Amino acid sequence: EAEKDKLFWVAAFHSKEVYHTEHTSRPSNKTFVSELMATCATGNPMVDMNGTYRGAMYYIEKPEAKTTGTVYVALSTWNTKDAESAQKLLNMLKIDIPKSMETEAELLQCVLFPTVLLGGDLPDGVPRDDRAVQMVQVFKSDVLKTQSMTSADKWKDLMEDPGKDYMVLHFEAQHSPS
């Protein structure tokens, strides 16, 4: 199965405790999960979903992100040389992302996942890799074809092989804010 055929889903909670108590015990959550999995290729979230991460994330959005309809998404994944390099990359991105949100009119939303660096709570069976950083960017138009990472020179030395250790998936999605 191709990565482009996998499901990407982000849900945010105020705390880990809220997720493990109120969210998981809510009846509507049980209905949602079964309905979501019914739309997937196999019904197995470990196969059908791209990545699994529960933990701290950095999230920023513009007011116009509260739109419904087609959006264009970029999922960037970095596999750095080591945990120290991942932390440096995370620090760079935390500075670059707010600047991008101000200067790029089409960029609506950005979510930065520091994976296990901030104590991510990964389900059993999911590899724990302290070298990985992921970022989801949501755009209001299909600017992804011409978009390039302007800060690429800043982070390329944090990876063994940027051609292999940096990946971007572009896809069209339907956005329905809650």
Side-chain angles (χ1 to χ4, degrees), residues 98-168:
K99 290 177 185 175
S100 294
M101 292 296 288
E102 287 180 18
T103 60
E104 296 180 32
E106 300 299 306
L107 182 56
L108 297 174
Q109 206 173 53
C110 187
V111 185
L112 180 59
F113 300 95
T115 62
V116 299
L117 290 173
L118 295 179
D121 174 22
L122 301 173
D124 291 337
V126 175
R128 298 180 188 278
D129 188 349
D130 61 359
R131 301 172 309 115
V133 175
Q134 288 190 305
M135 178 174 64
V136 176
Q137 293 173 295
V138 178
F139 298 86
K140 62 183 171 183
S141 67
D142 193 7
V143 297
L144 300 172
K145 292 177 184 168
T146 58
Q147 174 114 358
S148 65
M149 196 80 176
T150 56
S151 60
D153 286 340
K154 291 196 287 191
W155 48 257
K156 71 179 180 182
D157 292 335
L158 300 174
M159 294 171 282
E160 296 288 337
D161 179 358
K164 181 184 82 167
D165 296 331
Y166 173 64
M167 178 179 63
V168 180

Side-chain angles (χ1 to χ4, degrees), residues 68-80:
T68 298
T70 302
V71 292
Y72 301 87
V73 181
L75 170 68
S76 301
T77 302
W78 292 265
N79 290 307
T80 62

Side-chain angles (χ1 to χ4, degrees), residues 43-93:
N44 178 347
M46 298 306 284
V47 172
D48 297 329
M49 298 181 83
N50 189 318
T52 300
Y53 170 75
R54 295 183 302 220
M57 65 181 177
Y58 298 94
Y59 180 88
I60 187 170
E61 77 174 12
K62 293 178 181 172
E64 57 266 31
K66 301 284 187 215
T67 185
T68 298
T70 302
V71 292
Y72 301 87
V73 181
L75 170 68
S76 301
T77 302
W78 292 265
N79 290 307
T80 62
K81 293 177 185 177
D82 50 37
E84 182 181 336
S85 296
Q87 187 62 59
K88 286 179 184 175
L89 174 63
L90 182 61
N91 292 341
M92 282 186 230
L93 291 170

